Amino acid sequence: MTCGERIRQERQKRKLSQEDLAEQMDVSRQAVGKWEAGQARPTREKLERLSALFELPPEVWREEPPGRAALRRWQAATAVLAAALCLTLAVGWLLWPREGEPEETEDSYVDTSYMFPKTLPLDAEEVEDFGRWSLDPGDPEAVTEEKELAGEAETVFIDQFPGSSWLRIIRGDPMAENHTTFYDVYALYLLHITDPDARLVPLGRLAEYNHYVGSGLDGAEYFTNVLGHDGWKITLSQGAACVTSWYFCVGEDGVPYVLLEASGSGEPQECDVDGDGEKEVVTSFGLPIGWTVYDTKPDGRCVAYTLDQEGYGQTPVSFSAEEGFVVTDSIGTVMARYLLAENQLERQPQTDFSLADYPDAAGTRLTFSNADPDQVVYNGTVRVTLRQQAYLALQELYGITGLTVDTAFCTVSGDGSVTFSVDAAGERVFFQMDWGRDLCGGAEQPGCSLVWRSEADWSPLDDRLAALPESGSSWTEPEQASVWIYRRMDRLRDGELITVVRDPEDGTEGPARCFLYLSDGSYYEATLTGSGLLRSFSGPYPAKKS
């Protein structure tokens, strides 16, 4: 008999309702319902009170792992006592709370993270060549423009660093062996691509005797906020289980340089694995799989952290650029999360959100000024950290405006209010979000407010770069803009719009106020600038009485 079944049996024996038992235990009726359904387990203190109330010994709450009786019958028939016992112990170890580990509390979902180690140790080594990675010079004569004209070299990539020089990747010196052509791959640059006298300057050789480049590069993409830098990531296979990425940045003089060269069994990934708003580089290697994480320190140094099986042991940890380091079950449910700390991965409190919920905002570097950003807030339904409240707000900002912010100072509070400013004192606030109950906030009408650069020249929200509605809609301005903005929202939106009405007291020019009505009569209020950009939004408000 399970713990929940016994609670229900003893309650019914005494003709108590769930409300009656909840009142005697100082919990909600929902908590009792979850106990009896097996969705949650009472804390030790609550089990002691249940024992006293039902006049039962403490031992009755120790559940026999499912299937033990069947295993005993089976072992007698098959004589495999050792295997059955090992299986039973393994199930018991996974399912039974251990001394010193946190138990789930009433009114909560099942927090499985306690089953896994609090920390996973990492080996650390400083990356000495970070920011000044040297390339083998090779033979620059193999990739001259004359060689390209002669068909002995070919450009496989060329693109510009914004407002600066052009990076060019060329394969050359072809060698045919056994129906396969091998190449040397070089990086070069041009200061001015439109200048007929501009000289193609070699940076060095990336790969030698490589046949994978015969079908082109594995990847070439512009990266932002990776290890605190922006630039071009060039990726190329160098073996059956070896993929290398070169992270190119550019100096003020227009000369590109290699920030980092990273190799692994798959393409290196970028992910904020320490929660500081800056993406780290993660590579994988070997079987059983291991990972190397490249992270920068405040003094500019780069450290490579390595996690292998010796570090994670039997913990089934995995990594993805969307989720970071996690432990999942067979269907992908996250059971535990880990963040990078000093020389270790630290298990985080279980929450309902992850990097996958704010992919466009995760690159913003936030400085929190008034609270522990990793404090977990729980309202009986939703569990979220203050840091996650901030990044979810920035994700909503991206949905509304199409804009991301590189850096900001952030002030968070336990009531769901989040403000973003350009100064540590918090005097120049450019964005504020007030979350409702859905995100552990206290706002009756959740909402946000924005300050645009046209209104304050210090604001990072540039009107000229913001997303705007396409023309041709049946809505007229500013109604058209209100509907378009509402449909781009994610967490502030609740229901389909029926109609939009502009405040009749508005003038024909300048800021406009609109009321966005839902089918039940409730409505949102939006204020827009003269150019149709959102200035403030809140709701839903209850239907107006006629």
Side-chain angles (χ1 to χ4, degrees):
M1 180 179 295
T2 67
C3 175
E5 290 169 344
R6 188 172 295 278
I7 292 174
R8 181 171 59 251
Q9 180 187 77
E10 297 297 328
R11 175 179 63 80
Q12 292 173 345
K13 277 184 184 178
R14 290 159 178 79
K15 302 187 183 302
L16 297 173
S17 66
Q18 288 187 341
E19 288 84 355
D20 295 333
L21 180 57
E23 183 177 354
Q24 296 191 48
M25 296 298 297
D26 297 321
V27 298
S28 66
R29 184 196 61 77
Q30 290 81 1
V32 173
K34 288 183 178 181
W35 292 347
E36 295 184 355
Q39 297 175 351
R41 179 180 173 82
T43 62
R44 286 194 177 90
E45 184 266 335
K46 290 292 188 291
L47 288 175
E48 291 174 357
R49 292 181 60 177
L50 286 169
S51 293
L53 176 64
F54 294 150
E55 299 179 346
L56 296 172
E59 292 77 18
V60 301
W61 307 117
R62 296 190 179 182
E63 301 177 17
E64 182 176 67
R68 176 172 288 178
L71 280 173
R72 287 173 177 167
R73 292 191 298 270
W74 179 76
Q75 71 183 23
T78 61
V80 287
L81 173 62
L85 182 58
C86 288
L87 177 61
T88 302
L89 290 175
V91 173
W93 182 86
L94 284 172
L95 297 180
W96 191 258
R98 297 180 294 285
E99 190 70 28
E101 295 284 5
E103 289 183 298
E104 61 177 295
T105 58
E106 52 273 2
D107 273 337
S108 73
Y109 59 86
V110 179
D111 184 350
T112 55
S113 62
Y114 72 89
M115 298 189 295
F116 305 101
K118 292 182 177 180
T119 61
L120 300 175
L122 304 173
D123 293 329
E125 182 178 358
E126 185 171 343
V127 181
E128 295 182 358
D129 294 332
F130 178 73
R132 55 181 188 276
W133 211 274
S134 60
L135 297 175
D136 174 15
D139 179 14
E141 295 300 318
V143 288
T144 62
E145 292 184 348
E146 290 76 10
K147 292 287 187 181
E148 279 206 269
L149 291 173
E152 298 176 18
E154 182 181 358
T155 296
V156 294
F157 168 81
I158 182 169
D159 212 324
Q160 186 180 20
F161 292 97
S164 187
S165 56
W166 292 72
L167 179 65
R168 191 168 178 176
I169 308 298
I170 300 179
R171 68 186 185 193
D173 198 12
M175 294 165 282
E177 292 185 10
N178 298 324
H179 307 290
T180 302
T181 304
F182 296 82
Y183 302 87
D184 288 358
V185 184
Y186 288 82
L188 307 93
Y189 74 96
L190 282 165
L191 284 177
H192 304 287
I193 197 170
T194 57
D195 185 350
D197 298 324
R199 187 169 61 92
L200 189 61
V201 182
L203 293 169
R205 183 166 57 190
L206 302 181
E208 183 179 9
Y209 199 65
N210 184 293
H211 71 86
Y212 296 96
V213 76
S215 56
L217 299 172
D218 288 33
E221 58 182 322
Y222 194 79
F223 64 84
T224 58
N225 196 25
V226 174
L227 301 175
H229 296 75
D230 302 343
W232 282 103
K233 174 188 177 184
I234 303 298
T235 303
L236 177 63
S237 293
Q238 301 213 78
C242 180
V243 182
T244 300
S245 289
W246 294 266
Y247 293 82
F248 285 91
C249 300
V250 66
E252 294 182 359
D253 58 359
V255 178
Y257 62 92
V258 179
L259 177 74
L260 177 70
E261 178 183 316
S263 298
S265 55
E267 180 179 344
Q269 302 291 312
E270 300 76 43
C271 178
D272 182 9
V273 296
D274 58 5
D276 65 351
E278 184 177 285
K279 299 175 188 174
E280 287 71 48
V281 174
V282 183
T283 64
S284 59
F285 61 87
L287 285 175
I289 194 169
W291 297 272
T292 298
V293 180
Y294 296 90
D295 186 25
T296 50
K297 298 296 183 182
D299 59 7
R301 294 181 301 115
C302 180
V303 176
Y305 295 99
T306 300
L307 175 67
D308 55 22
Q309 190 178 33
E310 185 176 342
Y312 63 77
Q314 300 302 311
T315 305
V317 65
S318 62
F319 169 81
S320 70
E322 295 74 26
E323 295 283 3
F325 287 99
V326 296
V327 176
T328 61
D329 63 14
S330 60
I331 61 173
T333 304
V334 174
M335 303 175 71
R337 298 184 186 277
Y338 286 87
L339 282 184
L340 175 65
E342 192 67 28
N343 297 338
Q344 62 186 16
L345 292 178
E346 292 184 350
R347 193 185 73 209
Q348 301 302 298
Q350 192 82 307
T351 69
D352 294 310
F353 302 94
S354 71
L355 292 171
D357 294 299
Y358 40 87
D360 303 294
T364 301
R365 293 187 288 272
L366 293 179
T367 300
F368 292 87
S369 57
N370 72 322
D372 174 12
D374 295 312
Q375 173 188 340
V376 176
V377 184
Y378 179 57
N379 64 3
T381 303
V382 178
R383 192 181 298 251
V384 62
T385 67
L386 300 182
R387 184 190 303 276
Q388 289 172 331
Q389 284 184 334
Y391 279 108
L392 288 165
L394 290 177
Q395 183 66 31
E396 196 77 348
L397 175 67
Y398 176 79
I400 295 169
T401 67
L403 300 177
T404 58
V405 180
D406 292 333
T407 62
F409 292 91
C410 182
T411 302
V412 291
S413 65
D415 64 358
S417 178
V418 189
T419 59
F420 301 88
S421 61
V422 298
D423 62 314
E427 296 177 352
R428 295 181 172 182
V429 175
F430 63 87
F431 180 51
Q432 177 168 338
M433 176 70 76
D434 294 301
W435 290 119
R437 181 171 174 78
D438 288 348
L439 273 168
C440 293
E444 288 291 329
Q445 281 78 39
C448 64
S449 59
L450 302 80
V451 176
W452 293 93
R453 185 171 295 177
S454 59
E455 301 169 316
D457 59 7
W458 44 260
S459 173
L461 303 182
D462 192 339
D463 317 45
R464 299 167 298 176
L465 303 178
L468 289 171
E470 297 179 1
S471 60
S473 169
S474 59
W475 297 92
T476 58
E477 293 286 3
E479 292 90 341
Q480 173 193 354
S482 298
V483 173
W484 183 84
I485 291 169
Y486 180 80
R487 289 173 177 168
R488 285 175 62 94
M489 290 179 173
D490 181 16
R491 301 188 183 279
L492 289 180
R493 180 182 64 183
D494 184 19
E496 289 297 320
L497 294 180
I498 299 300
T499 187
V500 178
V501 178
R502 184 173 181 178
D503 190 336
E505 297 182 4
D506 282 347
T508 57
E509 297 182 358
R513 184 170 64 163
C514 292
F515 301 101
L516 294 76
Y517 288 92
L518 305 179
S519 59
D520 62 357
S522 62
Y523 65 96
Y524 290 91
E525 183 176 322
T527 304
L528 288 79
T529 67
S531 57
L533 296 172
L534 185 68
R535 178 178 284 172
S536 66
F537 183 87
S538 59
Y541 294 89
K544 296 179 180 179
K545 296 181 179 179
S546 56

